[in-house]
Amino acid sequence: DNITNNSNSIMSNNSERRMVELLEELRVSKKRQKKLEKQLQQAGLRIIEDEVTYEEAKEQVRLIAEKMQMLTNTEDNELEKDMIAAKDAKLRRQEYFLLEQKMEKYSRALELSDEYIAEQEQREKKWEQENYNENQLALQLVWKHIPVNFRQHSVDEWLSSSPPTPLSTVIPKPFILKFARTNIL
């Protein structure tokens, strides 16, 4: 019975210690989160406060774009220009500014949603599949302009001597520098 009591007290001590550790981790995490939010705001990024669904964000972006379009589409006839007073123009600018802020909020929410990211990846894959043959042809053409021994020479050697490519042309300096910077071979 004494062993059971000791074991229970050890377990409760461990549980209390673990709870204190978790609370400390939570405090540190919250402090770090506040610092990161502050850095984002200083960098000009707004933090999305409320949880906005993908569908809601997509619909709001569409509606706001329509409203912005209506504000900017005014006919150019003289009568209408005369009817729009300076006060009305100021109200339009204020409304447009508010719409821009809403647009930024919903656009960011849209871009950060998992559905949007998946949709963009799917679009990219579809584009790559649709343009696969053309891209392969373009890659072959690029390779025809690059000498096989390109990596065996330094950038300075290529710039000073400019040996001809397999198609008997000279590689321009910007291309040599780009080839050296990137791993395209």
Side-chain angles (χ1 to χ4, degrees):
D1 200 31
N2 194 17
I3 294 174
T4 306
N5 286 338
N6 282 341
S7 132
N8 284 340
S9 70
I10 290 172
M11 288 177 77
S12 79
N13 284 342
N14 284 341
S15 296
E16 287 176 23
R17 262 190 258 131
R18 181 68 182 139
M19 177 117 25
V20 169
E21 288 172 2
L22 288 173
L23 288 171
E24 179 62 20
E25 282 181 35
L26 181 61
R27 186 188 67 75
V28 169
S29 293
K30 283 190 174 196
K31 188 176 179 181
R32 182 159 195 240
Q33 179 184 358
K34 287 185 181 193
K35 282 183 181 179
L36 290 172
E37 287 175 0
K38 194 174 187 178
Q39 288 176 352
L40 285 172
Q41 287 175 345
Q42 288 174 345
L45 299 174
R46 293 179 188 231
I47 299 165
I48 302 168
E49 299 289 328
D50 50 347
E51 201 54 38
V52 179
T53 65
Y54 172 73
E55 291 80 19
E56 180 185 356
K58 196 171 186 178
E59 180 65 17
Q60 286 297 323
V61 165
R62 186 186 65 75
L63 290 172
I64 293 169
E66 285 176 5
K67 288 179 184 176
M68 291 172 92
Q69 186 69 29
M70 285 174 34
L71 283 174
T72 57
N73 278 351
T74 58
E75 295 192 23
D76 289 334
N77 63 37
E78 292 302 317
L79 180 62
E80 188 171 275
K81 284 183 179 179
D82 292 339
M83 292 175 61
I84 298 175
K87 187 175 183 181
D88 188 39
K90 182 179 179 182
L91 288 174
R92 282 176 177 240
R93 283 193 302 271
Q94 288 174 345
E95 184 177 355
Y96 193 86
F97 177 72
L98 294 174
L99 288 173
E100 280 181 329
Q101 289 180 326
K102 284 183 181 180
M103 179 66 93
E104 182 182 343
K105 171 187 172 184
Y106 286 111
S107 294
R108 179 145 303 127
L110 184 67
E111 291 169 0
L112 293 176
S113 68
D114 293 335
E115 295 94 337
Y116 180 82
I117 294 168
E119 184 180 299
Q120 294 305 311
E121 287 174 358
Q122 189 176 26
R123 276 179 156 176
E124 287 178 22
K125 285 179 184 176
K126 182 181 175 188
W127 184 89
E128 286 177 8
Q129 289 171 349
E130 289 174 353
N131 295 292
Y132 179 79
N133 291 335
E134 292 88 353
N135 289 337
Q136 289 301 314
L137 180 62
L139 184 61
Q140 295 291 325
L141 290 172
V142 168
W143 283 345
K144 285 182 182 179
H145 289 281
I146 302 172
V148 177
N149 62 348
F150 186 84
R151 290 273 181 214
Q152 295 172 353
H153 299 285
S154 71
V155 174
D156 292 331
E157 288 174 336
W158 281 105
L159 290 174
S160 64
S161 65
S162 257
T165 65
L167 294 177
S168 298
T169 59
V170 177
I171 302 174
K173 180 180 178 178
F175 287 103
I176 292 174
L177 296 173
K178 184 172 184 175
F179 292 160
R181 275 195 320 270
T182 59
N183 186 15
I184 63 165
L185 300 177

